[in-house]
Structures are given as C-alpha cells and as structure tokens.
Amino acid sequence: PSWKGDGLAAPQPAPAAPATAAAATSEAAAKTAWLASLDREPSWMGAAAAAPAQVGSAVPPPAHEPSDEEKAKAAWLASLDKEPSWRGGSSVVGVPASAAAGVAAPASTSEAAAKAKWLASL
C-alpha cells in the first residue's frame, strides 16, 4: 500500500496470463456448446414440445366447456348492454318506465298549481 512506509509503492507484478491457445480452445468449445443448447427445446415445456402435433390430424380437438368464471363474465358483459336503472328507467320493480313516467306528471302539475297560487298571493 502506498500509505505505508516512505510513500513509494513497489510496482505490483502483472497477473500471469493463461496460455492463449488453451484459453481460445476452451472458449470456442464453450461457445459451441452454448449455441447447441439454443437449438434444443427448453426443459420447462415438457413432452408436448418434444412431439409437435401433426398438421391435419384426424382427431378433433376436445369440446370446450366454459367454466363458471367464463359464464359469469359473459353474463356481466351482457348486463353492460342494458339501460342502467339510474338513467331514467323505472325505479319501481315490475313497473315499465313509461308507466313510472306517467306517475310523475301529476306531481309536476300540482307543483305548477302551487307556484301559480303563490305568485297570485304576492
């Protein structure tokens, strides 16, 4: 270390270089092995990757039965197409929106009559 002694550090010898021919050979062998491993199917894909399906196979694929989750999702998406109840539809269960709108008319008529009576009293 340079902080010890008289401040003059002795030069450190350079690390010994490996034999260049042996290093180049082992590097080339490692590269070849790595490139060969890229051509193989990954182990996590299992046997299905090792035996690809035949194109034009005579066996039809199994029928897909929707799960409960898929059925619930389809029902929810279908409900999005309906008119929301808060957007002017009937708030009374079993009463059509047109009938519920007719109920509101007498209330507005009585409101108009009350307003006219109040203005007349001024």
Side-chain angles (χ1 to χ4, degrees), residues 4-101:
K4 291 185 179 181
D6 60 358
L8 297 174
Q12 299 291 326
T20 57
T25 304
S26 65
E27 183 178 335
K31 183 176 180 181
T32 304
W34 177 72
L35 288 172
S37 73
L38 294 179
D39 293 335
R40 291 190 302 263
E41 292 293 331
S43 61
W44 53 265
M45 290 186 74
Q54 296 293 326
V55 177
S57 162
V59 178
H64 176 68
E65 181 66 30
S67 67
D68 290 339
E69 181 180 351
E70 291 172 335
K71 291 176 186 176
K73 183 177 180 181
W76 177 72
L77 288 172
S79 73
L80 294 179
D81 294 336
K82 296 178 184 174
E83 180 78 19
S85 61
W86 51 265
R87 190 180 274 178
S90 171
S91 60
V92 180
V93 177
V95 178
S98 59

